[in-house]
Amino acid sequence: MQWKTRGAVGALVLTLAACSQTPTGRSQLTLFSDEEIDQMGEQSFAQYQQQLPTVGGQAADYVQCVAQAVTQAADTSETWQVKVFKDDSANAFALPGGNIGVNTGLLDVAENQNQLASVLGHEVAHVLANHANERVSTQAVTQTGLAVLQSAAGVEGQQLMGLLGMGAEYGIIKPFSRKQESEADALGLTLMAQAGFDPRASIELWQNMSANSQGQPPVWMSTHPSDGQRIDDLQARMDQALAAYRQAQANGRTPNCQRPD
Ligand SMILES: [Zn+2]
């Protein structure tokens, strides 16, 4: 835990009440209930939908197919809804409350179902590890003090979208922390493998992202760990991920999602 508040006693009580653990065993500050965080996710998704048109057809079916396989492997009680947005930037997100958004621009960078699964695994992992709660909580404590706890509406609108990891399009750079990114990479890699997608595609994906970002990097990339570091970390976990992948395939998890031409 790394955070400070003004009142030591209050902080102690809060720490005891609000410290939880991520799936990798890291302590995190989570001051909001799941219901509150889900509501923030729903609210932000509604707002995003007002700002960008969605597309249907083959592109939507394809993303739905990959997302469904990944979220089934995640084994959450959540009912996931997937939307594809018409936008050239290579962006994607998953929100607490069960909404997933993928921009059409990402489909140019992710060349096949395995690469797309590596992005969606990463995004869903952010949700599974409660990163949004952690970010909003940290923001609440460091910026506005404990008063914000009186009201879950202490953060809203564009600021909330930024905190939930959707901010790339809106000029708000409030990235997930590097710790959260590395955690989402590790969890996401396992998740895609368990869903039956080839985890080696995660490395290809980041290589494509890197090549794609020559000149003007997509904003959300700059919020992530350096491509080289990320690839090294993925490589270090690859044996384990490949074992999970082979196991999944043996168990009949062999997704075959048709990418539109
Ligand atoms: Zn991320």
Side-chain angles (χ1 to χ4, degrees):
M1 298 266 334
Q2 293 181 344
W3 56 284
K4 292 175 182 166
T5 60
R6 288 118 190 128
V9 176
L12 180 62
V13 172
L14 203 52
T15 304
L16 294 173
C19 218
S20 52
Q21 276 203 345
T22 68
T24 64
R26 183 174 60 82
S27 297
Q28 64 181 175
L29 179 67
T30 49
L31 299 178
F32 298 92
S33 70
D34 288 347
E35 290 72 25
E36 285 169 321
I37 289 293
D38 286 359
Q39 209 185 339
M40 293 180 201
E42 297 283 356
Q43 187 187 321
S44 293
F45 195 65
Q47 198 175 338
Y48 197 86
Q49 288 187 86
Q50 282 172 9
Q51 294 171 358
L52 287 177
T54 54
V55 301
Q58 285 184 324
D61 291 346
Y62 169 61
V63 173
Q64 172 74 37
C65 174
V66 175
Q68 196 172 328
V70 169
T71 53
Q72 271 172 7
D75 196 24
T76 62
S77 55
E78 208 86 73
T79 307
W80 296 87
Q81 192 195 184
V82 185
K83 290 253 161 93
V84 179
F85 294 94
K86 190 167 170 44
D87 191 279
D88 288 340
S89 64
N91 202 13
F93 56 83
L95 290 168
N99 289 300
I100 290 173
V102 171
N103 288 358
T104 46
L106 181 70
L107 302 181
D108 296 330
V109 179
E111 293 169 334
N112 54 49
Q113 63 165 5
N114 298 308
Q115 292 183 19
L116 180 57
S118 72
V119 175
L120 294 181
H122 174 96
E123 298 303 330
V124 168
H126 275 307
V127 176
L128 299 183
N130 286 321
H131 287 167
N133 198 336
E134 186 177 17
R135 295 188 74 206
V136 178
S137 300
T138 305
Q139 178 84 357
V141 170
T142 53
Q143 279 216 340
T144 34
L146 300 181
V148 76
L149 297 178
Q150 308 297 326
S151 157
V155 285
E156 60 189 7
Q158 301 291 49
Q159 186 192 14
L160 181 58
M161 293 173 83
L163 286 170
L164 300 186
M166 303 169 70
E169 301 313 310
Y170 304 91
I172 304 163
I173 307 175
K174 295 218 173 81
F176 285 114
S177 71
R178 294 214 162 191
K179 255 180 212 162
Q180 290 175 325
E181 284 309 323
S182 299
E183 197 164 61
D185 275 351
L187 292 169
L189 186 70
T190 304
L191 199 52
M192 73 175 290
Q194 287 174 343
F197 293 104
D198 188 335
R200 288 168 293 200
S202 62
I203 289 172
E204 296 160 10
L205 185 271
W206 293 116
Q207 284 166 345
N208 293 352
M209 282 287 188
S210 203
N212 186 56
S213 64
Q214 297 294 321
Q216 201 182 18
V219 177
W220 75 283
M221 276 298 293
S222 68
T223 69
H224 286 61
S226 79
D227 302 342
Q229 181 63 50
R230 152 167 268 154
I231 288 170
D232 288 350
D233 290 348
L234 289 168
Q235 200 71 64
R237 296 174 184 279
M238 200 50 72
D239 284 352
Q240 216 180 339
L242 278 170
Y245 166 58
R246 289 184 182 123
Q247 182 73 50
Q249 293 255 312
N251 291 340
R253 284 192 161 163
T254 53
N256 182 21
C257 303
Q258 296 303 315
R259 185 171 187 265
D261 302 324

CSV table of all heavy atoms in Angstrom, one decimal, residues 179-223:
chain,number,residue,atom,x,y,z
A,179,LYS,N,2.3,-0.9,-12.7
A,179,LYS,CA,2.0,-2.1,-12.0
A,179,LYS,C,0.8,-2.8,-12.5
A,179,LYS,O,0.7,-4.0,-12.6
A,179,LYS,CB,1.9,-1.8,-10.5
A,179,LYS,CG,3.0,-2.2,-9.6
A,179,LYS,CD,2.8,-1.9,-8.2
A,179,LYS,CE,4.1,-1.5,-7.5
A,179,LYS,NZ,3.9,-0.8,-6.3
A,180,GLN,N,-0.3,-1.9,-12.7
A,180,GLN,CA,-1.5,-2.5,-13.2
A,180,GLN,C,-1.4,-3.0,-14.6
A,180,GLN,O,-2.0,-4.0,-14.9
A,180,GLN,CB,-2.6,-1.4,-13.1
A,180,GLN,CG,-3.0,-1.0,-11.7
A,180,GLN,CD,-4.0,0.2,-11.7
A,180,GLN,OE1,-3.9,1.1,-12.5
A,180,GLN,NE2,-4.9,0.2,-10.7
A,181,GLU,N,-0.6,-2.3,-15.4
A,181,GLU,CA,-0.4,-2.8,-16.7
A,181,GLU,C,0.3,-4.1,-16.8
A,181,GLU,O,-0.1,-5.1,-17.5
A,181,GLU,CB,0.4,-1.8,-17.5
A,181,GLU,CG,-0.3,-0.6,-18.0
A,181,GLU,CD,-1.6,-0.9,-18.7
A,181,GLU,OE1,-1.7,-1.9,-19.4
A,181,GLU,OE2,-2.6,-0.3,-18.4
A,182,SER,N,1.4,-4.3,-16.0
A,182,SER,CA,2.1,-5.6,-16.0
A,182,SER,C,1.2,-6.7,-15.5
A,182,SER,O,1.2,-7.8,-16.0
A,182,SER,CB,3.3,-5.5,-15.1
A,182,SER,OG,4.2,-4.5,-15.6
A,183,GLU,N,0.4,-6.3,-14.5
A,183,GLU,CA,-0.6,-7.3,-13.9
A,183,GLU,C,-1.6,-7.7,-15.0
A,183,GLU,O,-1.9,-8.9,-15.1
A,183,GLU,CB,-1.3,-6.7,-12.7
A,183,GLU,CG,-1.9,-7.6,-11.8
A,183,GLU,CD,-2.3,-7.0,-10.5
A,183,GLU,OE1,-3.0,-6.0,-10.4
A,183,GLU,OE2,-1.7,-7.4,-9.5
A,184,ALA,N,-2.1,-6.8,-15.7
A,184,ALA,CA,-3.1,-7.1,-16.7
A,184,ALA,C,-2.4,-7.9,-17.9
A,184,ALA,O,-3.1,-8.8,-18.4
A,184,ALA,CB,-3.7,-5.8,-17.3
A,185,ASP,N,-1.2,-7.6,-18.2
A,185,ASP,CA,-0.5,-8.4,-19.2
A,185,ASP,C,-0.4,-9.9,-18.7
A,185,ASP,O,-0.7,-10.8,-19.5
A,185,ASP,CB,0.9,-7.9,-19.4
A,185,ASP,CG,1.0,-6.8,-20.4
A,185,ASP,OD1,-0.1,-6.5,-21.1
A,185,ASP,OD2,2.0,-6.2,-20.6
A,186,ALA,N,0.0,-10.1,-17.5
A,186,ALA,CA,0.2,-11.4,-16.9
A,186,ALA,C,-1.1,-12.2,-16.9
A,186,ALA,O,-1.2,-13.3,-17.4
A,186,ALA,CB,0.9,-11.4,-15.6
A,187,LEU,N,-2.1,-11.6,-16.3
A,187,LEU,CA,-3.4,-12.2,-16.2
A,187,LEU,C,-4.1,-12.4,-17.5
A,187,LEU,O,-4.7,-13.4,-17.8
A,187,LEU,CB,-4.4,-11.4,-15.3
A,187,LEU,CG,-4.0,-11.2,-13.8
A,187,LEU,CD1,-4.9,-10.1,-13.2
A,187,LEU,CD2,-4.2,-12.6,-13.1
A,188,GLY,N,-3.9,-11.4,-18.4
A,188,GLY,CA,-4.5,-11.5,-19.7
A,188,GLY,C,-3.9,-12.6,-20.6
A,188,GLY,O,-4.6,-13.3,-21.3
A,189,LEU,N,-2.6,-12.8,-20.4
A,189,LEU,CA,-1.9,-13.9,-21.2
A,189,LEU,C,-2.5,-15.2,-20.8
A,189,LEU,O,-2.8,-16.1,-21.6
A,189,LEU,CB,-0.4,-13.8,-20.9
A,189,LEU,CG,0.5,-14.8,-21.7
A,189,LEU,CD1,0.5,-14.3,-23.2
A,189,LEU,CD2,1.9,-14.8,-21.1
A,190,THR,N,-2.6,-15.4,-19.5
A,190,THR,CA,-3.2,-16.7,-19.0
A,190,THR,C,-4.6,-16.9,-19.5
A,190,THR,O,-5.0,-17.9,-20.0
A,190,THR,CB,-3.2,-16.7,-17.5
A,190,THR,OG1,-1.9,-16.5,-17.0
A,190,THR,CG2,-3.7,-18.0,-16.9
A,191,LEU,N,-5.4,-15.8,-19.4
A,191,LEU,CA,-6.8,-15.8,-19.8
A,191,LEU,C,-7.0,-16.2,-21.3
A,191,LEU,O,-7.8,-17.1,-21.6
A,191,LEU,CB,-7.4,-14.4,-19.6
A,191,LEU,CG,-8.9,-14.3,-19.4
A,191,LEU,CD1,-9.4,-15.3,-18.4
A,191,LEU,CD2,-9.2,-12.8,-19.0
A,192,MET,N,-6.2,-15.6,-22.2
A,192,MET,CA,-6.4,-15.9,-23.6
A,192,MET,C,-6.0,-17.3,-23.9
A,192,MET,O,-6.6,-18.0,-24.7
A,192,MET,CB,-5.5,-14.9,-24.5
A,192,MET,CG,-4.0,-15.1,-24.4
A,192,MET,SD,-3.1,-14.1,-25.6
A,192,MET,CE,-3.6,-14.8,-27.2
A,193,ALA,N,-4.9,-17.8,-23.2
A,193,ALA,CA,-4.5,-19.2,-23.4
A,193,ALA,C,-5.5,-20.1,-22.9
A,193,ALA,O,-5.8,-21.1,-23.5
A,193,ALA,CB,-3.2,-19.4,-22.6
A,194,GLN,N,-6.1,-19.8,-21.7
A,194,GLN,CA,-7.2,-20.7,-21.2
A,194,GLN,C,-8.4,-20.7,-22.1
A,194,GLN,O,-9.2,-21.6,-22.1
A,194,GLN,CB,-7.6,-20.3,-19.8
A,194,GLN,CG,-6.5,-20.6,-18.8
A,194,GLN,CD,-6.8,-20.0,-17.4
A,194,GLN,OE1,-7.7,-19.1,-17.3
A,194,GLN,NE2,-6.2,-20.5,-16.4
A,195,ALA,N,-8.6,-19.6,-22.9
A,195,ALA,CA,-9.7,-19.6,-23.8
A,195,ALA,C,-9.4,-20.3,-25.1
A,195,ALA,O,-10.2,-20.4,-26.0
A,195,ALA,CB,-10.0,-18.1,-24.1
A,196,GLY,N,-8.1,-20.8,-25.3
A,196,GLY,CA,-7.8,-21.6,-26.4
A,196,GLY,C,-7.1,-20.8,-27.6
A,196,GLY,O,-7.1,-21.2,-28.7
A,197,PHE,N,-6.7,-19.5,-27.2
A,197,PHE,CA,-6.0,-18.7,-28.2
A,197,PHE,C,-4.5,-18.8,-28.0
A,197,PHE,O,-4.0,-18.9,-26.9
A,197,PHE,CB,-6.4,-17.2,-28.1
A,197,PHE,CG,-7.9,-17.0,-28.4
A,197,PHE,CD1,-8.8,-16.8,-27.4
A,197,PHE,CD2,-8.3,-16.9,-29.7
A,197,PHE,CE1,-10.1,-16.5,-27.7
A,197,PHE,CE2,-9.6,-16.7,-30.1
A,197,PHE,CZ,-10.5,-16.5,-29.0
A,198,ASP,N,-3.8,-18.8,-29.1
A,198,ASP,CA,-2.3,-19.0,-29.0
A,198,ASP,C,-1.6,-17.8,-28.4
A,198,ASP,O,-1.7,-16.7,-28.9
A,198,ASP,CB,-1.7,-19.2,-30.4
A,198,ASP,CG,-0.3,-19.6,-30.4
A,198,ASP,OD1,0.4,-19.3,-29.4
A,198,ASP,OD2,0.2,-20.2,-31.4
A,199,PRO,N,-1.1,-18.0,-27.2
A,199,PRO,CA,-0.5,-16.9,-26.4
A,199,PRO,C,0.7,-16.2,-27.1
A,199,PRO,O,1.0,-15.0,-26.8
A,199,PRO,CB,-0.1,-17.5,-25.1
A,199,PRO,CG,0.1,-18.9,-25.4
A,199,PRO,CD,-0.9,-19.3,-26.5
A,200,ARG,N,1.3,-16.9,-28.0
A,200,ARG,CA,2.5,-16.3,-28.7
A,200,ARG,C,2.0,-15.1,-29.5
A,200,ARG,O,2.8,-14.2,-29.9
A,200,ARG,CB,3.2,-17.3,-29.6
A,200,ARG,CG,3.9,-18.4,-28.8
A,200,ARG,CD,4.4,-19.5,-29.7
A,200,ARG,NE,3.2,-20.3,-30.1
A,200,ARG,CZ,3.3,-21.6,-30.6
A,200,ARG,NH1,4.4,-22.2,-30.6
A,200,ARG,NH2,2.2,-22.2,-30.9
A,201,ALA,N,0.7,-15.0,-29.9
A,201,ALA,CA,0.2,-13.9,-30.6
A,201,ALA,C,0.3,-12.6,-29.9
A,201,ALA,O,0.3,-11.5,-30.4
A,201,ALA,CB,-1.2,-14.2,-31.0
A,202,SER,N,0.4,-12.7,-28.5
A,202,SER,CA,0.5,-11.4,-27.7
A,202,SER,C,1.8,-10.7,-28.1
A,202,SER,O,1.8,-9.4,-28.2
A,202,SER,CB,0.5,-11.8,-26.2
A,202,SER,OG,1.6,-12.6,-25.9
A,203,ILE,N,2.8,-11.4,-28.4
A,203,ILE,CA,4.1,-10.7,-28.7
A,203,ILE,C,4.0,-10.1,-30.1
A,203,ILE,O,4.4,-9.0,-30.3
A,203,ILE,CB,5.2,-11.7,-28.6
A,203,ILE,CG1,5.5,-12.0,-27.1
A,203,ILE,CG2,6.5,-11.2,-29.3
A,203,ILE,CD1,6.4,-13.1,-26.8
A,204,GLU,N,3.4,-10.9,-31.0
A,204,GLU,CA,3.2,-10.3,-32.4
A,204,GLU,C,2.3,-9.0,-32.3
A,204,GLU,O,2.6,-8.1,-33.0
A,204,GLU,CB,2.4,-11.3,-33.3
A,204,GLU,CG,3.2,-12.6,-33.5
A,204,GLU,CD,2.3,-13.7,-34.0
A,204,GLU,OE1,1.1,-13.5,-34.3
A,204,GLU,OE2,2.8,-14.9,-34.0
A,205,LEU,N,1.3,-9.1,-31.5
A,205,LEU,CA,0.4,-7.9,-31.3
A,205,LEU,C,1.2,-6.7,-30.9
A,205,LEU,O,1.1,-5.6,-31.5
A,205,LEU,CB,-0.7,-8.2,-30.3
A,205,LEU,CG,-1.8,-7.3,-30.1
A,205,LEU,CD1,-1.6,-6.3,-29.0
A,205,LEU,CD2,-2.3,-6.5,-31.3
A,206,TRP,N,2.1,-6.9,-29.9
A,206,TRP,CA,2.8,-5.7,-29.4
A,206,TRP,C,3.8,-5.2,-30.4
A,206,TRP,O,4.1,-4.0,-30.5
A,206,TRP,CB,3.4,-5.9,-28.0
A,206,TRP,CG,2.3,-6.1,-27.0
A,206,TRP,CD1,2.0,-7.2,-26.3
A,206,TRP,CD2,1.3,-5.1,-26.7
A,206,TRP,NE1,0.9,-7.0,-25.5
A,206,TRP,CE2,0.4,-5.7,-25.7
A,206,TRP,CE3,1.1,-3.8,-27.1
A,206,TRP,CZ2,-0.6,-5.1,-25.2
A,206,TRP,CZ3,0.0,-3.1,-26.5
A,206,TRP,CH2,-0.9,-3.8,-25.6
A,207,GLN,N,4.3,-6.2,-31.2
A,207,GLN,CA,5.3,-5.8,-32.3
A,207,GLN,C,4.5,-5.0,-33.3
A,207,GLN,O,5.0,-3.9,-33.8
A,207,GLN,CB,5.9,-7.0,-32.9
A,207,GLN,CG,7.0,-7.6,-32.0
A,207,GLN,CD,7.4,-9.0,-32.4
A,207,GLN,OE1,6.8,-9.7,-33.2
A,207,GLN,NE2,8.6,-9.4,-31.9
A,208,ASN,N,3.3,-5.4,-33.6
A,208,ASN,CA,2.5,-4.6,-34.6
A,208,ASN,C,2.2,-3.2,-34.0
A,208,ASN,O,2.2,-2.2,-34.8
A,208,ASN,CB,1.1,-5.3,-34.9
A,208,ASN,CG,1.3,-6.6,-35.6
A,208,ASN,OD1,2.4,-6.9,-36.1
A,208,ASN,ND2,0.2,-7.3,-35.7
A,209,MET,N,1.8,-3.2,-32.8
A,209,MET,CA,1.5,-1.9,-32.1
A,209,MET,C,2.7,-1.0,-32.2
A,209,MET,O,2.6,0.2,-32.5
A,209,MET,CB,1.2,-2.1,-30.6
A,209,MET,CG,-0.2,-2.6,-30.4
A,209,MET,SD,-1.4,-1.3,-30.7
A,209,MET,CE,-2.9,-2.1,-30.1
A,210,SER,N,3.8,-1.5,-32.0
A,210,SER,CA,5.1,-0.8,-32.0
A,210,SER,C,5.3,-0.2,-33.4
A,210,SER,O,5.6,1.0,-33.6
A,210,SER,CB,6.2,-1.7,-31.6
A,210,SER,OG,7.3,-0.9,-31.1
A,211,ALA,N,5.2,-1.0,-34.4
A,211,ALA,CA,5.4,-0.6,-35.8
A,211,ALA,C,4.3,0.4,-36.2
A,211,ALA,O,4.6,1.4,-36.9
A,211,ALA,CB,5.3,-1.8,-36.7
A,212,ASN,N,3.1,0.2,-35.7
A,212,ASN,CA,2.0,1.1,-36.0
A,212,ASN,C,2.2,2.5,-35.5
A,212,ASN,O,1.6,3.4,-35.9
A,212,ASN,CB,0.7,0.4,-35.5
A,212,ASN,CG,-0.5,1.2,-35.9
A,212,ASN,OD1,-0.8,1.4,-37.1
A,212,ASN,ND2,-1.3,1.6,-35.0
A,213,SER,N,2.9,2.5,-34.4
A,213,SER,CA,3.0,3.8,-33.6
A,213,SER,C,4.2,4.6,-34.1
A,213,SER,O,4.5,5.6,-33.4
A,213,SER,CB,3.1,3.5,-32.1
A,213,SER,OG,4.2,2.8,-31.8
A,214,GLN,N,4.9,4.3,-35.1
A,214,GLN,CA,6.0,5.1,-35.6
A,214,GLN,C,5.4,6.5,-36.0
A,214,GLN,O,4.4,6.6,-36.6
A,214,GLN,CB,6.6,4.5,-36.9
A,214,GLN,CG,7.2,3.1,-36.7
A,214,GLN,CD,8.5,3.2,-35.8
A,214,GLN,OE1,9.2,4.1,-35.9
A,214,GLN,NE2,8.6,2.2,-34.9
A,215,GLY,N,6.2,7.5,-35.5
A,215,GLY,CA,5.7,8.8,-35.8
A,215,GLY,C,4.7,9.3,-34.8
A,215,GLY,O,5.2,10.0,-33.8
A,216,GLN,N,3.5,8.9,-34.9
A,216,GLN,CA,2.5,9.4,-33.9
A,216,GLN,C,1.9,8.3,-33.1
A,216,GLN,O,1.0,7.6,-33.6
A,216,GLN,CB,1.4,10.2,-34.6
A,216,GLN,CG,0.7,11.1,-33.6
A,216,GLN,CD,-0.4,11.9,-34.3
A,216,GLN,OE1,-0.9,11.5,-35.3
A,216,GLN,NE2,-0.9,12.9,-33.6
A,217,PRO,N,2.5,8.0,-31.9
A,217,PRO,CA,2.0,6.8,-31.2
A,217,PRO,C,0.5,7.0,-30.7
A,217,PRO,O,0.2,8.2,-30.4
A,217,PRO,CB,2.9,6.7,-30.0
A,217,PRO,CG,3.6,8.0,-29.9
A,217,PRO,CD,3.5,8.7,-31.2
A,218,PRO,N,-0.3,6.0,-30.7
A,218,PRO,CA,-1.6,6.1,-30.1
A,218,PRO,C,-1.4,6.5,-28.7
A,218,PRO,O,-0.5,6.0,-28.0
A,218,PRO,CB,-2.2,4.8,-30.3
A,218,PRO,CG,-1.3,3.9,-31.0
A,218,PRO,CD,0.0,4.7,-31.2
A,219,VAL,N,-2.3,7.4,-28.2
A,219,VAL,CA,-2.1,7.8,-26.8
A,219,VAL,C,-2.1,6.7,-25.8
A,219,VAL,O,-1.3,6.7,-24.9
A,219,VAL,CB,-3.2,8.9,-26.5
A,219,VAL,CG1,-3.1,9.3,-25.0
A,219,VAL,CG2,-3.2,10.1,-27.4
A,220,TRP,N,-3.0,5.7,-26.0
A,220,TRP,CA,-3.1,4.7,-25.0
A,220,TRP,C,-1.8,3.9,-24.9
A,220,TRP,O,-1.5,3.3,-23.9
A,220,TRP,CB,-4.3,3.8,-25.2
A,220,TRP,CG,-4.3,2.9,-26.3
A,220,TRP,CD1,-4.4,3.1,-27.6
A,220,TRP,CD2,-4.1,1.5,-26.2
A,220,TRP,NE1,-4.3,2.0,-28.3
A,220,TRP,CE2,-4.1,0.9,-27.5
A,220,TRP,CE3,-3.9,0.6,-25.1
A,220,TRP,CZ2,-4.0,-0.4,-27.8
A,220,TRP,CZ3,-3.8,-0.8,-25.4
A,220,TRP,CH2,-3.8,-1.3,-26.7
A,221,MET,N,-1.1,3.8,-26.0
A,221,MET,CA,0.2,3.0,-26.0
A,221,MET,C,1.2,3.7,-25.1
A,221,MET,O,1.9,3.1,-24.4
A,221,MET,CB,0.8,3.0,-27.4
A,221,MET,CG,0.2,1.8,-28.2
A,221,MET,SD,0.6,0.2,-27.5
A,221,MET,CE,2.4,0.2,-27.7
A,222,SER,N,1.2,5.0,-25.1
A,222,SER,CA,2.2,5.7,-24.3
A,222,SER,C,1.9,5.6,-22.8
A,222,SER,O,2.8,5.8,-22.0
A,222,SER,CB,2.2,7.2,-24.7
A,222,SER,OG,0.9,7.8,-24.2
A,223,THR,N,0.7,5.1,-22.5
A,223,THR,CA,0.4,4.9,-21.1
A,223,THR,C,0.8,3.5,-20.6
A,223,THR,O,0.7,3.2,-19.5
A,223,THR,CB,-1.1,5.0,-20.8
A,223,THR,OG1,-1.8,3.9,-21.5
A,223,THR,CG2,-1.7,6.3,-21.4
